[in-house]
Amino acid sequence: MKECKVAIVGATGLVGQEFIKTLEQRNFPMASLKLLASERSVGKKLLVGGQELEVKEATPESFPGVDIALFSAGAEISRHLSPIAAKAGVVVVDNSAAFRMVPNVPLVVPEVNPEDIEWHRGIIANPNCSTIQMVVVLHPLHKANPIKRIVVDTYQAVSGTGSAAVDELTTQTRQVLNGQNTIPHVYPHQIAFNVLPEIDVFWDNGYTREEWKLVEETRKIMHAADIALSATCVRVPVFTGHSEAVHVEFTRPMSPDEAERILAEAPGVKILDDPAISLYPQPWAAAGTDEVFVGRIRRDASHANGLVMWIVADNLRKGAALNAVQIAEEMISRDWVRPKEARK
Ligand code: 3JN
């Protein structure tokens, strides 16, 4: 397939708009583009390649004739429309959690497990943003020296929640600086000048669903069911860019130098690590870029086989839209757009 007919479901959301930007910037081989969203957004016009394109309602009838559909409209819409689209012969790359842990749905980070795309049956899941940036860095290290345990604490930007949260941080920041009271709407507490150790819903085991996504998705993507993993996910008053403090225990000792040598060759990774000049990844600088940045690589003072590092990426790009577009590019270049049984 040379050029694809593409649809974006959830085109008006933050990730939807990033899909458009990413397709344009990467010169994605598109024969046509359909912008789809909920009824609320019908009639809105978005700029694509310098031209206005009208948003249409995403319905079960939207999909015949489409080759690849990029979904980011929430798990409920994905659960409803993705199987219908797949049945119409479309390959769905879904950015929600709806299908990530379904055994016959590949969960893919192209730098880590591109070969899993091959066995798709019409739906491919895009992982959670915090998972993607972590496995891009940890997988090459794991191949050299198998990882036994990971402890990760995240510092997640408000854009991960959506545009209402971006507006809430803006409004509250202004209110605090003007000495006014804030009223939280999106989050349970004020997010401006604060940090909240709560992302997604709490579960009975004391973890949140976001924390559990990191655990399960990492094991599935890395094909490493035995890795022990514990996460604390924290929302911070940052607009774009998720950061992570990651503590890793390997099978054997690994020096920071060896890790840097491996990561210098790793696809999608950029090392920023020079404490002498305060060089380390920062979300502010990562915003708008495609790489996963890693720095502060050091021995874990609490474990002979351990390393500690700091990983940062743009949550809307590599954490969402870019990863999905890379999956689509990989499908096209390997001629895996149609499901396996439909290929000769
Ligand atoms: O909060 C973040 O930084 C990432 C949010 C992800 C998210 C938010 C609501 C629903 C997801 C996700 O992608 O895992 C979902 C979901 O699809 O369940």
Side-chain angles (χ1 to χ4, degrees), residues 75 95-98 100 128-129 156-157 160-161 199-200 209-210 213 235 242:
N95 189 46
S96 83
R100 288 182 193 145
N128 179 265
C129 38
Q156 297 184 215
T161 313
I199 298 185
D200 212 332
R209 202 165 82 100
E210 182 80 355
K213 286 174 196 165
R235 186 74 63 196
H242 285 4

Side-chain angles (χ1 to χ4, degrees), residues 123-233:
I123 301 176
I124 300 167
N126 207 40
N128 179 265
C129 38
S130 297
T131 310
I132 293 174
Q133 65 183 68
M134 189 172 79
V135 299
V136 166
V137 173
L138 294 190
H139 186 253
L141 303 176
H142 174 72
K143 278 195 294 185
N145 186 346
I147 292 172
K148 294 176 79 167
R149 178 170 181 245
I150 301 165
V151 178
V152 51
D153 302 319
T154 71
Y155 304 67
Q156 297 184 215
V158 296
S159 55
T161 313
S163 56
V166 171
D167 293 345
E168 180 145 309
L169 175 58
T170 309
T171 306
Q172 288 184 353
T173 302
R174 230 178 249 133
Q175 287 170 329
V176 172
L177 292 175
N178 288 331
Q180 297 164 336
N181 288 333
T182 62
I183 301 166
H185 297 287
V186 176
Y187 297 118
H189 305 282
Q190 178 182 308
I191 184 63
F193 304 98
N194 200 8
V195 295
L196 304 174
E198 176 180 355
I199 298 185
D200 212 332
V201 295
F202 277 107
W203 278 2
D204 287 346
N205 63 5
Y207 284 89
T208 63
R209 202 165 82 100
E210 182 80 355
E211 291 160 354
W212 217 249
K213 286 174 196 165
L214 256 168
V215 172
E216 292 186 319
E217 294 178 19
T218 298
R219 291 178 181 149
K220 179 169 176 177
I221 298 161
M222 291 189 23
H223 299 178
D226 293 338
I227 292 181
L229 222 143
S230 178
T232 301
C233 291

Side-chain angles (χ1 to χ4, degrees), residues 17-33:
Q17 300 196 30
E18 209 62 42
F19 278 144
I20 298 173
K21 241 193 265 173
T22 307
L23 292 168
E24 282 179 343
Q25 287 170 352
R26 295 173 73 85
N27 269 326
F28 189 88
M30 264 188 304
S32 62
L33 178 63

Side-chain angles (χ1 to χ4, degrees), residues 47-341:
L47 270 184
V48 182
Q51 293 194 346
E52 283 191 335
L53 208 59
E54 195 172 311
V55 177
K56 303 263 162 56
E57 187 180 356
T59 70
E61 289 74 45
S62 304
F63 300 101
V66 171
D67 298 309
I68 296 178
L70 306 171
F71 271 63
S72 192
E76 205 178 311
I77 289 174
S78 290
R79 261 186 225 106
H80 172 49
L81 290 180
S82 300
I84 295 171
K87 224 172 176 184
V90 182
V91 187
V92 172
V93 183
D94 180 37
N95 189 46
S96 83
F99 299 99
R100 288 182 193 145
M101 296 312 298
V102 174
N104 66 8
V105 173
L107 180 65
V108 176
V109 176
E111 291 86 344
V112 177
N113 61 333
E115 68 286 349
D116 284 338
I117 296 170
E118 188 181 8
W119 48 267
H120 79 79
R121 292 170 166 188
I123 301 176
I124 300 167
N126 207 40
N128 179 265
C129 38
S130 297
T131 310
I132 293 174
Q133 65 183 68
M134 189 172 79
V135 299
V136 166
V137 173
L138 294 190
H139 186 253
L141 303 176
H142 174 72
K143 278 195 294 185
N145 186 346
I147 292 172
K148 294 176 79 167
R149 178 170 181 245
I150 301 165
V151 178
V152 51
D153 302 319
T154 71
Y155 304 67
Q156 297 184 215
V158 296
S159 55
T161 313
S163 56
V166 171
D167 293 345
E168 180 145 309
L169 175 58
T170 309
T171 306
Q172 288 184 353
T173 302
R174 230 178 249 133
Q175 287 170 329
V176 172
L177 292 175
N178 288 331
Q180 297 164 336
N181 288 333
T182 62
I183 301 166
H185 297 287
V186 176
Y187 297 118
H189 305 282
Q190 178 182 308
I191 184 63
F193 304 98
N194 200 8
V195 295
L196 304 174
E198 176 180 355
I199 298 185
D200 212 332
V201 295
F202 277 107
W203 278 2
D204 287 346
N205 63 5
Y207 284 89
T208 63
R209 202 165 82 100
E210 182 80 355
E211 291 160 354
W212 217 249
K213 286 174 196 165
L214 256 168
V215 172
E216 292 186 319
E217 294 178 19
T218 298
R219 291 178 181 149
K220 179 169 176 177
I221 298 161
M222 291 189 23
H223 299 178
D226 293 338
I227 292 181
L229 222 143
S230 178
T232 301
C233 291
V234 181
R235 186 74 63 196
V236 295
V238 164
F239 285 115
T240 305
H242 285 4
S243 308
E244 299 176 333
V246 186
H247 301 244
V248 191
E249 181 193 330
F250 296 92
T251 303
R252 304 177 302 279
M254 180 183 284
S255 70
D257 279 353
E258 186 187 350
E260 288 212 8
R261 273 196 302 276
I262 294 167
L263 292 174
E265 305 290 317
V269 176
K270 188 164 166 74
I271 303 171
L272 295 178
D273 199 354
D274 189 350
I277 54 165
S278 297
L279 180 67
Y280 37 72
Q282 299 165 62
W284 175 81
T289 69
D290 287 348
E291 288 94 349
V292 177
F293 299 91
V294 58
R296 300 288 323 274
I297 303 171
R298 60 201 190 276
R299 286 188 194 278
D300 186 336
S302 72
H303 200 286
N305 294 358
L307 283 181
V308 188
M309 60 197 77
W310 176 250
I311 299 172
V312 177
D314 183 324
N315 52 300
L316 298 177
R317 286 184 76 89
K318 185 55 190 168
L322 172 62
N323 196 76
V325 171
Q326 285 174 311
I327 291 172
E329 288 171 347
E330 201 74 39
M331 271 196 294
I332 293 170
S333 72
R334 299 191 192 221
D335 207 10
W336 288 343
V337 177
R338 283 172 305 144
K340 198 167 182 185
E341 55 271 23

